[in-house]
Amino acid sequence: MTESTDSIHQIPVATYTCKQRLDLQTQVQADFFAALEAELRSLVYDRLLVCRKRIFTDTIQLFRARLAKYVSAIGLCLSVVLISLDGSTMHGIRVDLLLFFLFSVAFFCTWDTDRFLKTQEKIILPYWRRIANLSAAKILKSPKKVLPFTAEYQFRDDVVSCYRINTNVTRLAWSKTLEGWYFSGQHVTMLFKKKTSIHPYLLIMHEAPQELALYLDALSLHCIDSLQAT
């Protein structure tokens, strides 16, 4: 994924001719950037959850929960058998008693499948939230260093170039070919190689996405309605 996060536009100026063209420009200030960062964290989090749900379906989750319960029950029974046979000692530790304690805790945590799945979600979701926050911070690392600046996007057919204007100095930040799928948020448009891709290959930041969405539609790029349902 390229550092396509270096761009935002507040005042879109759109120009359509028979040759597709669009120019967008934004003053990137700290307050706008903060709102953008919060939105990007949420969008990346939604994308990660979609990926997780696609891999670990409800059926698989239920199977894993039931399997954990049955394994815990079997382990608990075996540890009771070991205790009845006077067990065994290793380095002064009663292995049978240790196994009995571990499997008792595991069985207690897994015997109610619904509660186990809900508890698992409470434990796992903060982890995915953390990953999303780190990913968003990495994407925005470069533009954050040069705040404030003016970001200017120049769309020429299926190629977009981003220029940063800072202290009267203009430099090319990146240039990319547009393809695949896109999702338009309030402050950012994310472009993906595939509909099921986790990470975008390009990010375009803005306040008013309508002009950009029309341009991408004209290029026959596919729109993703929601990152929570792909």
Side-chain angles (χ1 to χ4, degrees), residues 39 43 182-190 206 209-210 212-213 216 223-225:
E39 182 181 14
L43 294 177
Y182 76 91
F183 173 82
S184 289
Q186 182 178 353
H187 299 89
V188 63
T189 290
M190 308 169 72
H206 49 67
Q210 294 84 0
L212 178 56
L216 297 178
C223 177
I224 300 176
D225 294 330

Side-chain angles (χ1 to χ4, degrees), residues 102-138:
L102 293 177
F103 281 115
S104 295
V105 173
F107 183 72
F108 174 78
C109 293
T110 59
W111 72 274
D112 187 333
T113 302
D114 291 336
R115 186 183 67 177
F116 174 69
L117 290 174
K118 290 178 181 178
T119 302
Q120 181 179 260
E121 288 294 294
K122 290 180 181 179
I123 295 174
I124 292 178
L125 290 184
Y127 165 78
W128 289 108
R129 177 72 70 180
R130 175 65 175 167
I131 295 298
N133 292 346
L134 290 175
S135 297
K138 183 177 180 180

Side-chain angles (χ1 to χ4, degrees), residues 51-197:
C51 174
R52 175 174 175 265
K53 190 172 183 63
R54 188 166 59 243
I55 297 174
F56 301 106
T57 62
D58 292 340
T59 302
I60 292 178
Q61 293 280 60
L62 184 60
F63 173 77
R64 292 173 61 192
R66 289 176 175 172
L67 180 62
K69 179 172 65 175
Y70 294 141
V71 169
S72 300
I74 293 173
L76 185 59
C77 293
L78 290 176
S79 63
V80 171
V81 172
L82 288 176
I83 292 174
S84 66
L85 296 175
D86 293 332
S88 58
T89 303
M90 182 181 295
H91 301 296
I93 299 176
R94 285 285 300 273
V95 177
D96 54 340
L97 294 178
L98 178 60
L99 291 176
F100 177 78
F101 172 75
L102 293 177
F103 281 115
S104 295
V105 173
F107 183 72
F108 174 78
C109 293
T110 59
W111 72 274
D112 187 333
T113 302
D114 291 336
R115 186 183 67 177
F116 174 69
L117 290 174
K118 290 178 181 178
T119 302
Q120 181 179 260
E121 288 294 294
K122 290 180 181 179
I123 295 174
I124 292 178
L125 290 184
Y127 165 78
W128 289 108
R129 177 72 70 180
R130 175 65 175 167
I131 295 298
N133 292 346
L134 290 175
S135 297
K138 183 177 180 180
I139 292 171
L140 298 176
K141 182 178 179 180
S142 179
K144 190 173 185 178
K145 289 180 179 179
V146 294
L147 285 174
F149 64 92
T150 299
E152 182 176 289
Y153 294 95
Q154 293 182 4
F155 295 82
R156 301 296 181 263
D157 292 326
D158 61 347
V159 176
V160 55
S161 300
C162 174
Y163 295 86
R164 288 182 190 164
I165 305 171
N166 198 328
T167 60
N168 297 322
V169 176
T170 301
R171 70 181 183 86
L172 176 66
W174 49 262
S175 184
K176 271 288 184 179
T177 300
L178 301 170
E179 58 180 319
W181 298 75
Y182 76 91
F183 173 82
S184 289
Q186 182 178 353
H187 299 89
V188 63
T189 290
M190 308 169 72
L191 288 94
F192 301 91
K193 293 287 187 179
K194 300 178 181 178
K195 189 178 182 181
T196 55
S197 298

Side-chain angles (χ1 to χ4, degrees), residues 33-52:
F33 195 83
L36 165 71
E37 190 171 27
E39 182 181 14
L40 184 59
R41 287 174 178 173
S42 178
L43 294 177
V44 173
Y45 178 68
D46 288 344
R47 198 65 175 174
L48 289 174
L49 291 187
V50 168
C51 174
R52 175 174 175 265

